[in-house]
């Protein structure tokens, strides 16, 4: 069964600090991996998307890495802001783009 | 540009009641999706429509029906609601290329008593 596991489940950091969220997946066939940000009470919003040939992709203070050999991805947040408080969801897509496997998310809280 | 719009935002039903969740997108996307999100779990696909006129089951289709009314609209119907269907429901849409991201609506929070 396709699975996406994320760690940690929750994380509290101080404003201005960096953090790294982890994602391990067992999804086949693999097309691409996405990181979404979901604010409380809102739908997920895409942060990055990477195919198996891409190792790193950045979006402002967010940098995602992908190791297709070990089937691991990470999302690094630099100089955190209070607005980064949200759930971050790792999602792996099949070739057609219809069947996505979602991780359970990491709930990040940034405190002043 | 509203993106993906879901109605209603909140709904409370009694067991056995029926209702339809509405979803509309204004991005001219071919594919549309319905998911449910439960605490501690990832989003799970209920049904999807890869193009106008087609629908397919996802991971958890039991107890639901869908209608792709036209290219813009994709509705989800609960014929006889059960407490196990208490969840947050998200509609999403995607353009034609497989790599294209899915755009999500704000969600419908449903409670079945």
């Amino acid at each position: 069964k396709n699975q996406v596991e994320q760690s940690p489940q929750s994380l509290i950091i101080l404003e201005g600090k960096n953090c790294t969220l982890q994602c391990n997946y067992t999804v086949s066939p693999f097309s691409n991996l996405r990181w979404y940000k979901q604010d409380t009470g809102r739908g997920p919003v895409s942060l990055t998307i990477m195919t198996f040939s891409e190792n790193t992709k950045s979006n402002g203070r967010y940098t995602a890495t992908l190791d297709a050999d070990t089937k691991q991805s990470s999302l690094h947040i630099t100089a955190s802001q209070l607005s980064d408080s949200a759930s971050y969801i790792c999602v792996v897509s099949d070739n057609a783009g219809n069947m996505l496997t979602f991780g359970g998310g990491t709930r990040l809280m940034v405190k002043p | 540009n509203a993106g993906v719009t879901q109605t209603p935002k909140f709904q409370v039903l009694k067991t056995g009641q029926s209702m339809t969740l509405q979803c509309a997108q204004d991005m001219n996307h071919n594919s549309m999706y319905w998911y449910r999100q439960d605490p501690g779990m990832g989003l799970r696909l209920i049904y999807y429509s890869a193009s106008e006129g087609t629908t397919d089951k996802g991971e958890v289709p039991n107890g639901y029906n869908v209608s792709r009314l036209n290219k813009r609209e994709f509705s989800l119907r609960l014929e006889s609601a059960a407490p196990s269907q208490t969840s947050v429901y998200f509609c999403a849409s995607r353009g034609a290329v497989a790599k294209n991201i899915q755009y999500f609506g704000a969600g419908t929070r449903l409670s079945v008593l």
Side-chain angles (χ1 to χ4, degrees):
Chain A
K1 181 181 177 182
N2 290 339
Q3 283 190 315
V4 176
E5 301 286 343
Q6 292 187 242
S7 62
Q9 281 191 322
S10 62
L11 182 63
I12 302 174
I13 61 173
L14 293 176
E15 186 178 12
K17 297 296 185 181
N18 304 335
C19 67
T20 300
L21 314 180
Q22 302 291 343
C23 172
N24 297 332
Y25 63 92
T26 54
V27 176
S28 181
F30 171 86
S31 174
N32 56 70
L33 184 145
R34 310 120 184 261
W35 282 93
Y36 280 83
K37 178 185 180 186
Q38 184 176 21
D39 293 310
T40 300
R42 308 292 295 273
V45 175
S46 178
L47 290 175
T48 66
I49 180 169
M50 292 182 291
T51 63
F52 66 89
S53 61
E54 296 174 297
N55 300 117
T56 303
K57 184 158 284 188
S58 293
N59 178 1
R61 295 179 296 102
Y62 301 102
T63 299
T65 65
L66 174 63
D67 186 333
D69 291 332
T70 62
K71 299 186 178 180
Q72 295 179 324
S73 176
S74 65
L75 180 69
H76 186 75
I77 304 174
T78 304
S80 60
Q81 299 176 359
L82 298 179
S83 59
D84 293 332
S85 296
S87 288
Y88 291 84
I89 304 172
C90 177
V91 185
V92 180
S93 172
D94 71 345
N95 289 335
N98 289 319
M99 304 302 276
L100 305 184
T101 303
F102 289 77
T106 293
R107 179 173 289 277
L108 174 66
M109 181 177 295
V110 180
K111 291 194 167 183
Chain B
N1 188 343
V4 179
T5 303
Q6 291 183 235
T7 55
K9 293 192 185 319
F10 302 95
Q11 183 71 49
V12 178
L13 294 177
K14 294 181 180 179
T15 297
Q17 287 185 317
S18 63
M19 78 159 296
T20 300
L21 281 64
Q22 306 288 351
C23 175
Q25 52 91 9
D26 60 5
M27 297 174 281
N28 200 35
H29 284 168
N30 291 325
S31 303
M32 298 185 72
Y33 308 82
W34 276 105
Y35 294 91
R36 60 178 288 172
Q37 186 176 37
D38 299 298
M41 299 181 68
L43 276 78
R44 292 181 292 168
L45 182 64
I46 303 171
Y47 271 93
Y48 69 99
S49 171
S51 61
E52 187 179 355
T54 69
T55 60
D56 287 286
K57 294 179 179 179
E59 182 184 355
V60 288
N62 292 345
Y64 305 95
N65 287 302
V66 290
S67 295
R68 184 73 182 266
L69 304 170
N70 47 56
K71 192 171 186 179
R72 290 187 64 249
E73 299 172 289
F74 188 39
S75 63
L76 178 71
R77 183 161 179 83
L78 287 69
E79 290 290 353
S80 179
S84 61
Q85 294 177 304
T86 293
S87 187
V88 182
Y89 291 85
F90 288 98
C91 177
S93 70
R94 181 176 68 86
V97 178
K99 189 179 176 179
N100 282 0
I101 61 173
Q102 293 190 8
Y103 293 85
F104 286 83
T108 294
R109 187 175 294 275
L110 176 66
S111 294
V112 183
L113 306 177

